[in-house]
């Protein structure tokens, strides 16, 4: 039987201390690096547009995440609306902006989490939850009190404050953040986030401090650790080399798993920018894959030739590689 998730050991006092601190931050909102200073608790909206309370676009067992996350039972995914980034090539635009969305109370979400666990999902996968954290943590506390015990996966765009992430210590067992860009300039141009690379690196350090390397049980299901996603963009605009340089200088590559994605499609407003208005080629992707492998990172890699127009890319096509194991 799987080891209970870290949050099952939190006391009521510890839960309450975390929610109180998140409430304090949200009351003059600094949940993300934009620090809008609006009172989210009273319903004011900032850059992300999120209201005071949960709004969710979909909840479902996801079978297309990386193999240790989806496993055989699926990853219990909760897809939140109102992202704090405004990527003009948003790959989840159909889910984030066009899907049905509705408000949830923390109690309703707690019930959904328990249902996902009952369905056999290996974890609760929170997708872009940062701007809803006061309410998400309340839901987790309630679900834990009612028997939730699978790990929480924090699946995010990587535009996070390390100080806010530190409040998730003891709650989140698996971090699945993006490193979207190696530099701030492309982040400003494509995501309206001119400090993205700077804050992203600090957040990654904090996440690794909390959970360390990605670890899986005897069935190959992840139960703790960090896995970093990087979506290769056309024309080198994601500055992938700078991502490699940072990670090799900040960490032992053998402690890190990278999910290097080739699935980019020119969606949303990408057609306005000729340099990203096309797919990534194998000639662009393969040398980057080799850089990560040669540096010693564990990884999940995609085959560019298998990328198609399916809305949800099949990560089962990925394979785990590490040069020493080849
Ligand atoms: S979570 Fe939303 S309101 Fe709060 S600082 Fe970030 S963008 Fe602004």
């Amino acid at each position: 039987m799987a080891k209970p998730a870290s949050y099952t050991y939190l006391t009521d006092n510890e839960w309450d201390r975390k929610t109180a601190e998140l409430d304090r931050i949200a009351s003059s909102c600094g949940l993300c690096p934009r620090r809008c200073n609006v009172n989210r608790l009273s319903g004011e909206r900032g850059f992300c547009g999120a209201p005071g309370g949960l709004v969710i676009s979909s909840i479902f067992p996801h079978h297309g995440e990386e193999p240790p996350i989806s496993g055989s039972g699926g990853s219990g995914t909760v897809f939140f609306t109102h992202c704090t980034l405004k990527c003009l090539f948003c790959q989840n635009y159909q889910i984030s902006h066009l899907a049905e969305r509705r408000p949830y109370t923390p109690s309703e979400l707690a019930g959904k989490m328990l249902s996902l666990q009952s369905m056999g999902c290996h974890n609760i996968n929170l997708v872009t939850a940062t701007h809803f954290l006061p309410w998400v943590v309340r839901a987790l506390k309630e679900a834990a009190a009612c028997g939730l015990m699978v790990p929480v996966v924090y699946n995010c765009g990587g535009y996070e404050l390390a100080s806010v992430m530190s409040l998730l210590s003891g709650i989140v067992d698996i971090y699945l953040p993006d490193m979207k860009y190696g530099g701030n300039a492309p982040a400003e141009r494509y995501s309206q986030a001119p400090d993205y690379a700077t804050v992203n690196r600090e957040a990654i350090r904090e996440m690794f401090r909390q959970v360390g390397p990605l670890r899986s049980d005897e069935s190959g299901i992840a139960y703790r650790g960090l896995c970093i996603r990087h979506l290769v963009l056309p024309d080198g605009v994601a500055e992938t080399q700078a991502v490699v340089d940072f990670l090799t200088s900040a960490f032992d590559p053998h402690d890190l798993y990278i999910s290097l994605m080739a699935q980019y499609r020119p969606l949303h407003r990408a057609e306005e920018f000729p340099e990203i208005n096309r797919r990534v080629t194998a000639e662009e992707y393969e040398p980057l894959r080799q850089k990560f492998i040669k540096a010693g990172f564990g990884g999940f890699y995609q085959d560019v030739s298998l990328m198609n127009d399916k809305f949800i890319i099949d990560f089962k096509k990925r394979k785990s590689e590490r040069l020493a194991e080849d």
Side-chain angles (χ1 to χ4, degrees):
M1 183 154 171
K3 182 172 162 258
S6 294
Y7 60 78
T8 62
Y9 299 100
L10 283 181
T11 65
D12 281 352
N13 278 346
E14 289 170 318
W15 281 111
D16 292 345
R17 192 171 47 77
K18 288 175 185 293
T19 49
E21 180 61 9
L22 287 166
D23 280 352
R24 187 192 67 75
I25 294 170
S27 68
S28 178
C29 196
L31 288 171
C32 88
R34 301 205 185 267
R35 292 190 172 94
C36 297
N37 294 324
V38 296
N39 187 345
R40 293 281 310 289
L41 302 184
S42 66
E44 290 180 2
R45 302 184 189 223
F47 181 90
C48 62
L54 297 165
V55 188
I56 294 170
S57 64
S58 54
I59 301 174
F60 60 102
H62 194 336
H63 293 275
E65 300 281 43
E66 288 82 351
I69 305 297
S70 278
S72 57
S75 179
T77 300
V78 181
F79 212 116
F80 297 91
T81 60
H82 297 95
C83 186
T84 60
L85 288 169
K86 293 286 180 264
C87 302
L88 52 85
F89 54 82
C90 180
Q91 302 293 286
N92 293 319
Y93 183 73
Q94 287 161 287
I95 294 176
S96 299
H97 301 275
L98 303 180
E100 184 182 354
R101 49 171 70 186
R102 77 164 179 88
Y104 278 74
T105 65
S107 292
E108 286 179 300
L109 177 56
K112 293 290 184 185
M113 290 172 172
L114 290 163
S115 296
L116 289 166
Q117 177 175 265
S118 298
M119 293 165 71
C121 291
H122 303 292
N123 46 60
I124 299 299
N125 183 351
L126 305 173
V127 184
T128 60
T130 297
H131 45 298
F132 291 121
L133 273 176
W135 301 278
V136 169
V137 170
R138 282 178 169 83
L140 283 167
K141 179 190 176 189
E142 189 171 331
C146 294
L148 190 74
M149 58 187 297
V150 294
V152 169
V153 178
Y154 202 75
N155 182 342
C156 62
Y159 192 49
E160 326 293 333
L161 288 169
S163 56
V164 172
M165 292 300 97
S166 72
L167 294 170
L168 300 181
S169 179
I171 296 177
V172 171
D173 273 311
I174 301 167
Y175 281 101
L176 196 57
D178 289 332
M179 288 192 81
K180 289 181 182 293
Y181 304 103
N184 285 327
E188 179 172 18
R189 178 172 169 81
Y190 301 111
S191 299
Q192 297 183 49
D195 56 350
Y196 178 91
T198 306
V199 297
N200 174 246
R201 292 175 182 190
E202 290 311 304
I204 296 289
R205 288 182 199 270
E206 170 60 22
M207 293 171 185
F208 187 80
R209 183 193 69 76
Q210 289 178 29
V211 298
L214 189 67
R215 279 150 286 164
S216 299
D217 64 17
E218 59 282 356
S219 305
I221 305 300
Y223 62 88
R224 192 168 172 83
L226 169 68
C227 177
I228 296 168
R229 285 176 165 171
H230 178 72
L231 176 67
V232 178
L233 296 178
D235 211 31
V237 302
E239 298 188 4
T240 304
Q241 181 62 54
V243 172
V244 178
D245 291 345
F246 165 71
L247 291 175
T248 51
S249 67
F251 302 99
D252 178 344
H254 290 88
D255 283 342
L256 278 189
Y257 267 84
I258 305 296
S259 179
L260 189 67
M261 299 186 289
Q263 66 198 51
Y264 174 81
R265 292 182 298 153
L267 297 173
H268 192 27
R269 295 177 50 206
E271 65 180 10
E272 299 170 29
F273 296 79
E275 72 276 17
I276 59 168
N277 192 25
R278 64 171 174 80
R279 299 277 182 91
V280 169
T281 65
E283 289 70 29
E284 289 173 311
Y285 181 82
E286 185 57 24
L288 298 175
R289 185 177 79 95
Q290 289 301 326
K291 283 182 196 292
F292 281 103
I293 291 174
K294 286 180 178 155
F297 294 101
F300 305 99
Y301 301 101
Q302 293 178 318
D303 185 335
V304 178
S305 67
L306 295 179
M307 296 297 102
N308 55 37
D309 284 326
K310 283 169 62 180
F311 178 57
I312 296 174
I313 301 300
D314 184 1
F315 280 83
K316 290 176 186 167
K317 299 280 190 234
R318 293 177 170 203
K319 57 182 178 180
S320 176
E321 294 182 49
R322 196 188 282 279
L323 188 63
E325 297 166 359
D326 283 347

